Amino acid sequence: MNAAGHHRGHGQEHSPSPRPLSRRRLLQLGASGTALAAAAPWLLPSAEAWAADTYDGMRATWLRLLTGSGFDAASAPFSTALATLGSEASTYQNSMSASGTSSLWSDLPIGSVSAHMTASYTRLRTMALAYVQPGTGLTGDSTLRSDIVTGLDWMSANAYRPAGTTYDNWWDWQIGSPEALLDLCTLVYSQLTSSQIGTCTAAIDTYVPDSAVSSYDGTSTGANRVDLCRVLALRGVIGKDSAKIATARTALSPVFPYVITGDGLYADGSFVQHTYVPYTGGYGVVLIDGLSKLLTLLAGTTWAITDPAVQNLFSAVTDSYAPFLYNGLVMDGVSGRGISRGYWRTTNAYLESDQTRGHGLVAAVLRLAESGAPSSAQAGTWKSMVKGWIQRDYYLSYLDDVSLGIPELARAQAVLDDSTVSAAPEPVGSQVFGMDRAVHRRPGWAAQISMCSSRTTFYEHGNGENLKGWHQNSGMLYWYGDTYGNGQYSDHFWPTVDPYRLPGTTVSTLALADAAGGAWGGSHPDATWAGGATDGTYSAVGQDVRGLNSTLAGKKSWFCLDDSIMCLGAGITSSDGTTVQTTVDNRNLGANNHQDFTVDGTVQPSTLGWSHTFTGCGYMAINGMGAWVFPGGATVDVKREARTAAWSDINTNSSTTPYTRNYVTMWFDHGTDPADADYSYLLMPGATPAQAAARAASPTATVLSNTATVQAVTDSSAGLTMANFFAAGTAGPITVSAPCSVLVKESGGTMTVAVADPSRASSTVEVTVARSGYAAVTDTSGVTVLSTSGAVRLLAEVGGTRGASRTATLTTSGSAVSRTASLLPATAAAYVRDGSYATDNYGDLATLVVKNVNSSGSGYDRQSLLKFDVSGLTGTVSRAILWAYGNVEDSGGDQTTVQAFALTSDGWSETGVTWNTRPALGAALGTGMVSTAYDWVGLDVTSAVAAAMPSAGGDGTVALAIWEPLNKAGLATILHGRAAGGNTPVLEAITT
């Protein structure tokens, strides 16, 4: 894979001398080594091999990861997999020729396409696996052994050679080729001389020097960083170099902390790579796969991972990965350009799909569970999840997946056979992620929504992949049934589907060139509103949709209910001179065409090529799949057609073999250059025609508003009212002061309100719910309930949440609540700077600057000072938050912590204060995170504001500083000052 990022680096440490392996580790390796020796005596060290030591033990661990253990080679599924491995290796062996200098295989010429180098090493690796594994028909074959070593020598002399020159794709030189080479060296280590090993490690040192991980940025972030560390660690093991292993171990640490922008894991469960691409199912799998192996490799050694932040990886299993796994598949909406691969041009060994990608993720979770790194409780939970995923995977059995290796099959079989492990069911719930993705899970089905904004890409293409993915994040709605529909996207969907009619999307039919827009996720809309509110069970999700290279604009919402999703669109406009359409759905019927399609009780023709425009349509249904209900009736276009294409049509690296799949497509035609067009429909996964007819006749969900400013529904059966406000306004009982998403759930005398700001534009939003009778507040998270008299009025602190929901729960019992919220502007703001600037004033400016370099007199320290008039506040201050808006602008990193401090005096002036005359810092107050992405940061200053109140003996002015934590170097942060055009500093004060 290819990557780009903007994180900055961490230093490296000197490596300690290797220490003996732990007793537990020796026992594990001893058992593994004995089994390997008994099965394959040719693996025993040759006379030239180094004496057994820690490195040999670690190499044995890696060998076990490559070959597996504890399986019966004569039994299914292993016998079939091993025979297939042998057949593949034999094909490669018979077609290999080392007589020339241009290639080992005629279809993989070396010299201009770097992927051919990686593919050549991968074929040699396959041959080596067939040599060492039992039951391949080539086990221990001396001719094969000789050919493998000959091929390795040829590659060292003609392709990946020390002091060579790189060309084409960096990934092949730093990750793809060295990973396959190091696996190959591990597999045939005993057959190699020290000179051969030295040549291989010297080549790796040329292309993957320590400097590849010296800073956390560019192509050395996230999953790519893990791969680079794997290369360095194994190079250290194979070459017996402790410094290389230590460098790899240290360089992993930047991967573990949560990020708030750019590449990596987020606390809300998001995972991003290439800065703008939600990538849990692609690079996210690479990351957990690589870490599960490295944690296993390093466990019990001098270099074991002890960074406490590794717990974030363990939490990610349930928070980041599991939400996108369903019945063992990983949802395509988080797999980037990988969805376009299908069958590779160079091999038709297996069809890469959401199923195989999901199985790779399941395998990584299970390997992590058995690495010895997580707690026993965590490992047990993950094994139960794995067992459930494997048992429910009816479409492509995990044990029949030829993309999986013997070790992965062996671990899975062991878990399935383990009666102490109970299979975990699919969870029920609803989640909205900051990476512009949402997942809704109900008993019997799951759905996933893909959106984009200024923070995420329209789609990702690169390396000739995903050439027609232009509209994949324009509101695409994926859904899967528990026992149906899991092949919808697996069965040659991506090459054969009409790319202008992806399910759920609203697009202009303006013709787009292959790979239109920036590569690697570089094209993204300027709209900011994408996301929504959730209470964990239901969600209100919305998108301010834009078109790639188009004038298209509109508002879309999905209200995720108990057995359905209400889909709304409004304000749909375009001036492209072409038609605009919203695709209700585009169901892949597979190679057959037997499914009944019913409209308002009448089964429609199954003839391929049939099409019709239905007016006043109440519902549509496809037997065995689901149904769509149209509130009040609608005009819907339908087509039933066969579509033929090859994977090479969307990926230049993929097979040219054509495939034909049949589709039923339903869409709204908004006409040419529509102005304020709209739509509404209800998706009911798994529903029969009869159930759809009943729902059309007696709807439980009602549309309250469907306009460009607010989309809202109410569901009487669930006690839900949900609204997406694209501007301040009112919908049903809900009134808001700024754009936001609101979910209200009422049940049994309890009301829960969830508020989110998907636009990330506001620091606070005031929400009023016209419901009486709710008095006591039982729980809040980022919300202050201001009043419960006559209506519920609350203030949600949405700034700096990165779109996450804030919630409050109220009950009908208890005493009424009454509080006052005041939002006060700064009366003075300036920043001061030390060193040669210590006598300069920086007041009355559009910006404030903060930086702590943790050294005096350098000229780089800057503190921002503010004053607020609190003399008009009455009552007791119960909460006070200083809100500042800005971002990190520093070559040293992407995110930093800022902190508020009380100042010992307010007797300074905005236009006069300097570093030399500034008041001293007083009490350290609240902290918050700031990143390179513009956002609000809220700092708790309650104690300082309370002390400044006249009733507490203060003079009615609170003076505050924003800096970074003491005795710790930070990054330069630029904040909006009083003279900025908007988003100026504000003090939120809650009084009672």
Side-chain angles (χ1 to χ4, degrees):
M1 294 184 178
N2 216 333
H6 304 285
H7 292 280
R8 299 295 170 182
H10 290 238
Q12 300 176 10
E13 64 183 43
H14 295 292
S15 62
S17 299
R19 71 185 183 204
L21 295 171
S22 68
R23 180 177 179 275
R24 176 185 178 189
R25 197 67 172 153
L26 283 169
L27 289 172
Q28 290 175 337
L29 296 177
S32 177
T34 300
L36 285 168
W42 51 89
L43 289 176
L44 293 174
S46 65
E48 281 199 64
W50 291 294
D53 54 23
T54 298
Y55 303 107
D56 292 327
M58 295 174 73
R59 181 168 45 80
T61 296
W62 197 258
L63 182 63
R64 180 165 51 87
L65 288 172
L66 293 172
T67 59
S69 60
F71 62 90
D72 181 356
S75 300
F78 308 105
S79 57
T80 301
L82 290 166
T84 300
L85 172 64
S87 176
E88 185 179 1
S90 179
T91 298
Y92 293 150
Q93 180 186 12
N94 293 334
S95 58
M96 187 185 91
S97 174
S99 59
T101 60
S102 61
S103 69
L104 276 178
W105 286 275
S106 59
D107 62 330
L108 298 176
I110 300 298
S112 60
V113 179
S114 57
H116 290 174
M117 182 173 60
T118 299
S120 296
Y121 274 125
T122 301
R123 289 180 181 182
L124 290 171
R125 178 186 184 275
T126 298
M127 292 163 61
L129 279 169
Y131 170 71
V132 303
Q133 291 278 41
T136 66
L138 292 171
T139 307
D141 184 271
S142 59
T143 302
L144 177 61
R145 178 182 66 220
S146 176
D147 288 343
I148 293 167
V149 175
T150 297
L152 175 61
D153 288 340
W154 189 96
M155 292 292 290
S156 294
N158 299 288
Y160 199 74
R161 55 185 181 271
T165 302
T166 64
Y167 55 84
D168 198 16
N169 193 334
W170 72 270
W171 183 88
D172 292 297
W173 296 92
Q174 292 199 313
I175 294 176
S177 290
E179 281 190 344
L181 170 58
L182 286 161
D183 285 353
L184 176 59
C185 288
T186 301
L187 291 164
V188 296
Y189 181 85
S190 63
Q191 308 306 316
L192 301 178
T193 66
S194 58
S195 175
Q196 287 170 314
I197 291 173
T199 299
C200 292
T201 56
I204 293 171
D205 291 346
T206 297
Y207 307 114
V208 196
D210 290 358
S211 61
V213 295
S214 62
S215 62
Y216 196 65
D217 59 7
T219 57
S220 188
T221 62
N224 285 331
R225 170 56 71 93
V226 173
D227 277 341
L228 291 168
C229 289
R230 167 178 163 176
V231 170
L232 289 170
L234 283 174
R235 181 261 176 268
V237 170
I238 296 298
K240 303 204 170 189
D241 186 332
S242 63
K244 290 290 183 182
I245 305 174
T247 295
R249 187 270 309 274
T250 301
L252 281 174
S253 285
V255 174
F256 300 134
Y258 290 130
V259 300
I260 58 176
T261 190
D263 293 355
L265 291 166
Y266 290 67
D268 78 335
S270 298
F271 178 85
V272 171
Q273 192 85 28
H274 292 174
T275 307
Y276 299 107
V277 187
Y279 237 137
T280 314
Y283 282 94
V285 177
V286 174
L287 181 133
I288 190 174
D289 180 81
L291 286 174
S292 69
K293 292 173 180 176
L294 284 174
L295 285 165
T296 302
L297 175 69
L298 300 176
T301 73
T302 298
W303 307 283
I305 302 296
T306 57
D307 189 331
V310 74
Q311 182 59 48
N312 293 339
L313 170 69
F314 302 157
S315 298
V317 173
T318 51
D319 297 344
S320 302
Y321 293 105
F324 295 96
L325 274 165
Y326 189 77
N327 283 0
L329 65 81
V330 66
M331 299 172 183
D332 274 347
V334 290
S335 293
R337 70 186 191 279
I339 62 177
S340 70
R341 290 173 182 151
Y343 284 117
W344 286 99
R345 187 184 296 267
T346 54
T347 176
N348 278 346
Y350 67 91
L351 175 69
E352 183 175 325
S353 69
D354 53 3
Q355 303 282 334
T356 58
R357 284 186 292 275
H359 292 170
L361 177 52
V362 171
V365 171
L366 183 52
R367 188 187 302 110
L368 185 63
E370 297 186 351
S371 68
S375 68
S376 58
Q378 286 174 316
T381 296
W382 300 345
K383 287 183 178 182
S384 292
M385 292 161 60
V386 165
K387 191 167 190 174
W389 288 324
I390 293 175
Q391 288 183 344
R392 287 189 300 274
D393 192 351
Y394 74 90
Y395 184 80
L396 174 61
S397 169
Y398 185 98
L399 296 180
D400 293 333
D401 186 348
V402 298
S403 73
L404 296 172
I406 295 295
E408 288 66 49
L409 297 176
R411 288 189 204 93
Q413 188 67 70
V415 166
L416 291 173
D417 292 342
D418 189 345
S419 60
T420 67
V421 177
S422 300
E426 288 288 355
V428 173
S430 205
Q431 293 173 268
V432 181
F433 298 86
M435 60 180 176
D436 296 343
R437 295 294 185 269
V439 174
H440 188 55
R441 293 170 167 270
R442 309 310 299 160
W445 58 275
Q448 188 256 305
I449 302 164
S450 288
M451 303 164 285
C452 60
S453 68
S454 59
R455 303 173 295 273
T456 55
T457 185
F458 281 110
Y459 79 113
E460 188 203 32
H461 72 85
N463 285 346
E465 298 185 303
N466 203 28
L467 301 176
K468 303 180 191 297
W470 319 296
H471 304 301
Q472 287 164 355
N473 296 326
S474 295
M476 186 166 179
L477 175 56
Y478 302 79
W479 53 277
Y480 314 82
D482 55 354
T483 60
Y484 62 92
N486 286 192
Q488 164 74 9
Y489 315 102
S490 307
D491 186 14
H492 301 286
F493 173 84
W494 289 109
T496 60
V497 71
D498 184 340
Y500 292 93
R501 289 179 176 157
L502 299 179
T505 60
T506 297
V507 308
S508 165
T509 57
L510 180 71
L512 294 171
D514 284 1
W520 313 116
S523 291
H524 37 91
D526 57 7
T528 60
W529 211 114
T534 181
D535 66 352
T537 302
Y538 307 98
S539 291
V541 183
Q543 178 183 13
D544 184 358
V545 71
R546 297 288 189 272
L548 174 65
N549 296 344
S550 165
T551 61
L552 173 76
K555 305 300 192 297
K556 295 172 70 70
S557 288
W558 300 264
F559 297 102
C560 301
L561 309 172
D562 272 319
D563 63 357
S564 57
I565 299 176
M566 179 66 81
C567 307
L568 303 182
I572 300 168
T573 63
S574 176
S575 58
D576 290 346
T578 58
T579 59
V580 172
Q581 57 194 20
T582 295
T583 301
V584 175
D585 219 324
N586 203 345
R587 297 308 290 177
N588 182 358
L589 306 180
N592 298 313
N593 187 38
H594 63 273
Q595 297 89 343
D596 285 344
F597 176 63
T598 302
V599 178
D600 291 340
T602 300
V603 176
Q604 304 300 313
S606 60
T607 307
L608 294 173
W610 168 84
S611 64
H612 190 76
T613 299
F614 292 89
T615 59
C617 176
Y619 73 89
M620 297 177 173
I622 301 177
N623 279 7
M625 292 187 177
W628 301 262
V629 176
F630 304 95
T635 298
V636 185
D637 288 286
V638 182
K639 177 186 289 187
R640 189 165 191 150
E641 65 176 338
R643 295 182 57 83
T644 301
W647 284 96
S648 59
D649 292 330
I650 62 171
N651 191 317
T652 59
N653 308 295
S654 296
S655 169
T656 59
T657 302
Y659 295 91
T660 299
R661 290 298 179 266
N662 302 312
Y663 289 87
V664 169
T665 310
M666 300 156 274
W667 73 94
F668 296 107
D669 187 341
H670 301 302
T672 300
D673 292 345
D676 204 29
D678 60 22
Y679 66 84
S680 64
Y681 65 96
L682 185 75
L683 166 65
M684 299 180 66
T688 64
Q691 290 171 321
R695 185 61 56 85
S698 301
T700 57
T702 303
V703 177
L704 296 175
S705 177
N706 188 21
T707 71
T709 56
V710 58
Q711 294 172 318
V713 302
T714 182
D715 183 348
S716 58
S717 64
L720 286 168
T721 304
M722 298 188 281
N724 288 326
F725 292 91
F726 299 96
T730 299
I734 304 172
T735 299
V736 302
S737 64
C740 63
S741 179
V742 182
L743 182 153
V744 178
K745 174 74 167 71
E746 298 178 86
S747 177
T750 297
M751 180 171 73
T752 298
V753 182
V755 183
D757 177 15
S759 69
R760 309 189 189 186
S762 298
S763 56
T764 60
V765 175
E766 186 169 317
V767 178
T768 300
V769 183
R771 291 286 192 264
S772 60
Y774 294 100
V777 180
T778 61
D779 185 49
T780 61
S781 174
V783 173
T784 298
V785 177
L786 302 175
S787 174
T788 57
S789 178
V792 174
R793 191 165 57 90
L794 52 86
L795 187 73
E797 296 173 353
V798 294
T801 62
R802 290 166 287 282
S805 294
R806 299 299 212 177
T807 61
T809 302
L810 302 94
T811 65
T812 54
S813 60
S815 303
V817 172
S818 179
R819 299 184 181 91
T820 299
S822 301
L823 300 176
L824 307 175
T827 57
Y831 76 89
V832 295
R833 186 172 183 176
D834 76 340
S836 59
Y837 309 93
T839 59
D840 294 341
N841 169 260
Y842 301 92
D844 193 26
L845 298 175
T847 59
L848 300 171
V849 186
V850 171
K851 187 169 185 177
N852 180 5
V853 298
N854 200 31
S855 66
S856 60
S858 68
Y860 293 105
D861 269 337
R862 280 150 287 185
Q863 296 175 356
S864 290
L865 315 180
L866 303 102
K867 287 195 285 190
F868 296 88
D869 180 2
V870 297
S871 62
L873 299 179
T874 59
T876 301
V877 176
S878 59
R879 182 169 178 81
I881 303 295
L882 170 58
W883 292 101
Y885 184 85
N887 72 319
V888 168
E889 295 187 16
D890 195 310
S891 62
D894 283 357
Q895 59 192 50
T896 191
T897 299
V898 296
Q899 185 165 23
F901 294 84
L903 290 175
T904 56
S905 170
D906 58 23
W908 51 272
S909 70
E910 181 176 71
T911 57
V913 68
T914 68
W915 182 272
N916 286 345
T917 64
R918 78 196 191 285
L921 297 179
L925 304 172
T927 62
M929 293 294 296
V930 183
S931 76
T932 53
Y934 282 95
D935 203 349
W936 289 96
V937 59
L939 308 174
D940 192 326
V941 294
T942 304
S943 60
V945 174
M949 293 283 286
S951 59
D955 63 2
T957 296
V958 61
L960 303 165
I962 302 178
W963 204 26
E964 290 171 318
L966 301 176
N967 304 316
K968 183 178 181 181
L971 302 174
T973 300
I974 312 300
L975 304 173
H976 281 205
R978 280 213 310 150
N983 293 337
T984 55
V986 63
L987 179 67
E988 167 201 340
I990 307 296
T991 55
T992 56

